[in-house]
Amino acid sequence: MRLVFAAAIALLALNVRAEVVCPDSLEVQQQAVTPSGDWTATYTDPPLRLTGVTVYDGPPSQNRKLKPRSTRSTEGELRIIWRLPESRRNFHLLCTYERTSANLVTVLPPGITVCTAVFDPRVSYGRGGQAVKRMVCN
């Protein structure tokens, strides 16, 4: 009986799929170096919102951006889908945020086969970023 139970648990574990999501916002601690005593640094209120999603085949430093499989624009949404083919390298997810050069990067776990990002093209931020309504890799 224990063997049957263990086998059932193992089969359930195989059907569980990992899911990775960029955090909606990022808090950063920045320190400006002012050019002289006449200048004062000010800071905008956090949190900084998610404005971009990029999938890489390998570390982002190798600049192997994965091209989206499809891009669809509907009323009020821009949907981008990446299909992750077999690769010897690990896929990486890069999340970019408004008003900062700080990004978040994570290695996508094995078994992730697709990433989807939905943007709101009516809302844009500096550096060409758009509001991310939702995103998920699974």
Side-chain angles (χ1 to χ4, degrees):
M1 185 64 158
R2 286 185 181 167
L3 183 60
V4 171
F5 182 71
I9 294 296
L11 284 175
L12 286 174
L14 290 175
N15 288 329
V16 173
R17 295 185 64 159
E19 188 171 278
V20 178
V21 177
C22 285
D24 288 332
S25 62
L26 176 67
E27 289 194 35
V28 296
Q29 295 178 356
Q30 300 181 79
Q31 174 122 15
V33 178
T34 57
S36 70
D38 296 338
W39 293 93
T40 303
T42 62
Y43 301 92
T44 57
D45 291 329
L48 307 177
R49 291 175 296 239
L50 178 65
T51 60
V53 177
T54 308
V55 180
Y56 288 87
D57 187 3
S61 61
Q62 295 178 353
N63 205 27
R64 290 189 179 105
K65 289 182 184 178
L66 194 64
K67 292 183 182 179
R69 175 70 179 246
S70 68
T71 302
R72 277 197 336 236
S73 186
T74 60
E75 189 174 317
E77 288 189 346
L78 172 64
R79 180 181 304 267
I80 300 175
I81 299 173
W82 294 267
R83 299 271 180 217
L84 283 56
E86 290 291 322
S87 176
R88 289 179 285 128
R89 297 176 291 274
N90 291 322
F91 289 101
H92 290 68
L93 177 65
L94 177 108
C95 309
T96 55
Y97 296 85
E98 65 174 331
R99 301 187 323 261
T100 184
S101 58
N103 301 312
L104 294 179
V105 178
T106 189
V107 176
L108 294 174
I112 298 284
T113 58
V114 65
C115 290
T116 303
V118 179
F119 296 87
D120 185 344
R122 298 169 295 188
V123 180
S124 62
Y125 304 109
R127 297 188 307 150
Q130 293 182 329
V132 178
K133 293 173 93 173
R134 60 190 173 278
M135 72 79 41
V136 66
C137 294
N138 52 23

